Amino acid sequence: MGVPSVMVLPLLIVFAAGVYYIYNEVMKFVSKSIVRNKVVVITDAVSGLGTECAQLFHKAGARLILCGTNWDKLESLYDFLTNNADPRETFAPKMVILDFSDMDSMEDVVAEVMECYGYVDTLICNSSMKLKAPVQSVSLEMDRNIMDINYFGPSTLAKGLLPTMISRRSGHIVLVNSIQGKLAVPFRSSYAASKHAAQAFFDCLRAEVEEYGIVVSTVSHTFINASDPAPVAEPAPKSNALLEYIASQLTHGVRPPVLANEIMQTVNRKRKEVVLAHPIPRVALYLRSLFPPFLFAVLAAGVKDSVLAEQLQ
C-alpha cells in the first residue's frame, strides 16, 4: 500500500529535519576531534569575540594560549573557563600579556608564546582598533597606532610563529579582519587602510606557505554587534529612503557567538576566505569591482547627507 500523496510533503520535511540534526551532531563531534589537543593562540582573548572563541575551543579540548593587554581580565577569563569545564576533557589555558601597540615587546611575546608548548597549531589574530573621524582630524600618531594594532602586530606575530610551523609542515593562521579590508567606507580612513594592509599581507602569506602545508584564512565581517537588540521605535519620517535602508543593513552587525562559530568552522574546514556580511555590504563589494563610479557616487551622497544632518542638529 502506497503512502497517500497528502503525506509526502510532511514526511519529506521530517526526513530533512532528521538529516539536518544528524549532520549537526556529526559536525559537532568532528569539530571537537579536529581541535582537540591542538595548541591554539587567541589574541585579544578578553574581548567579546575573543571570549566566545576561548569558550568554544576550550570546550573542544584545545590547549589554549590566551593573549591580552590586561592580566586581571585574563585571570578572570581563566577562572571562568576552568570553573565551567570538565578537567578530564579540557586543558587549563596559559596566559600571555600581548599589546600590539608596544611593538618593541613583540620579540619577547613570541618567545613567551613558544615557551608554553614549543609550537603553535593555530593562531587566531583577533585584535583590532577602530576609529571614526574625518581624514584631516586624524593625527599621524593615531594613524601609526592603528597600523601597529591592526597590521604590524598581527603580521609580526605571524612571522614570529611561522618558522616552527614551516619546520613542522603544518599550521593554521586565521586573520579576523573586517569587510573594510575589502571596501573603504568614509570616515574610516585609518581603520580601512590598516585592514586593507592586513588583508594584502595575509593573502600574500597564504600563497607563500601553502607548499609547507600551512593554511592561511581571512574572516571578513561587518562590525561586531555586542549590544542587546534595540527596542522597536515608532517609525519616523525619512529624508532618503534608500540611504536609510542601506544604513539599517550596515548597522545590523554580527553577533560575537555567530562570528566565533564561523571561526571554528573556518579552522575545522580549512577555508581560506570567509565573508560574513548582510546582502547590502556584499552588493557593495561587487559594485566596487564591477561599477566603481556608481559606488563612489553613492558613498559621496551619503557623506553629504551626513554632513547636512550634523549641520541641522
Side-chain angles (χ1 to χ4, degrees):
M1 183 176 179
V3 178
S5 58
V6 70
M7 294 294 295
V8 173
L9 182 58
L11 287 175
L12 286 175
I13 293 175
V14 171
F15 176 76
V19 171
Y20 182 71
Y21 173 79
I22 294 173
Y23 171 78
N24 278 339
E25 292 302 309
V26 171
M27 289 306 300
K28 287 180 182 178
F29 175 78
V30 171
S31 297
K32 290 185 178 181
S33 63
I34 288 176
V35 302
R36 182 163 182 78
N37 296 322
K38 299 293 186 181
V39 178
V40 179
V41 177
I42 302 176
T43 67
D44 198 11
V46 296
S47 66
L49 174 59
T51 299
E52 293 289 343
C53 286
Q55 292 181 64
L56 281 180
F57 283 88
H58 186 250
K59 289 180 180 178
R63 302 173 186 263
L64 290 182
I65 301 176
L66 306 175
C67 301
T69 59
N70 187 296
W71 186 258
D72 290 337
K73 290 183 178 179
L74 284 175
E75 286 188 327
S76 296
L77 178 57
Y78 175 94
D79 293 338
F80 175 78
L81 295 176
T82 54
N83 293 337
N84 293 275
D86 185 349
R88 296 169 299 179
E89 297 291 331
T90 59
F91 299 92
K94 296 183 182 294
M95 300 174 290
V96 174
I97 289 293
L98 169 61
D99 185 357
F100 282 147
S101 64
D102 180 14
M103 291 302 298
D104 293 335
S105 68
M106 288 305 299
E107 185 176 348
D108 293 334
V109 169
V110 170
E112 189 174 352
V113 168
M114 292 303 299
E115 285 176 2
C116 292
Y117 292 102
Y119 63 94
V120 170
D121 291 300
T122 302
L123 167 63
I124 300 176
C125 293
N126 167 52
S127 305
S128 183
M129 179 180 180
K130 299 177 177 63
L131 176 68
K132 179 181 179 181
V135 171
Q136 65 271 20
S137 67
V138 181
S139 67
L140 179 58
E141 181 181 0
M142 181 61 71
D143 280 332
R144 287 172 173 166
N145 195 30
I146 291 176
M147 287 297 293
D148 281 345
I149 294 173
N150 294 353
Y151 169 65
F152 286 113
S155 61
T156 302
L157 182 59
K159 285 181 178 182
L161 301 180
L162 201 57
T164 305
M165 289 185 175
I166 291 176
S167 65
R168 299 177 71 238
R169 302 192 74 83
S170 69
H172 195 158
I173 300 174
V174 180
L175 171 69
V176 184
N177 206 33
S178 166
I179 199 168
Q180 291 190 50
K182 297 174 174 290
L183 178 70
V185 178
F187 305 113
R188 305 292 199 286
S189 58
S190 300
Y191 179 71
S194 66
K195 292 299 183 178
H196 271 71
Q199 180 74 42
F201 176 88
F202 284 91
D203 281 351
C204 292
L205 180 64
R206 178 186 298 117
E208 294 181 20
V209 300
E210 185 173 359
E211 65 174 306
Y212 302 110
I214 300 171
V215 180
V216 177
S217 304
T218 56
V219 180
S220 302
H221 58 85
T222 51
F223 83 98
I224 299 176
N225 185 0
S227 60
D228 294 326
V232 178
E234 292 295 325
K238 298 179 180 179
S239 58
N240 189 318
L242 176 60
L243 288 178
E244 289 287 343
Y245 176 71
I246 293 175
S248 69
Q249 293 293 308
L250 290 174
T251 54
H252 281 171
V254 56
R255 305 288 294 176
V258 174
L259 184 51
N261 275 293
E262 196 70 31
I263 293 169
M264 173 69 88
Q265 293 303 316
T266 298
V267 172
N268 292 336
R269 302 177 186 179
K270 297 183 178 181
R271 292 183 293 192
K272 296 180 179 179
E273 186 170 58
V274 176
V275 176
L276 194 61
H278 293 283
I280 292 297
R282 287 179 178 272
V283 169
L285 287 177
Y286 289 118
L287 290 176
R288 178 64 180 86
S289 299
L290 302 175
F291 305 104
F294 177 76
L295 177 63
F296 298 156
V298 171
L299 293 176
V303 170
K304 290 179 182 178
D305 276 10
S306 65
V307 172
L308 178 61
E310 291 179 358
Q311 292 174 345
L312 293 176
Q313 289 179 354

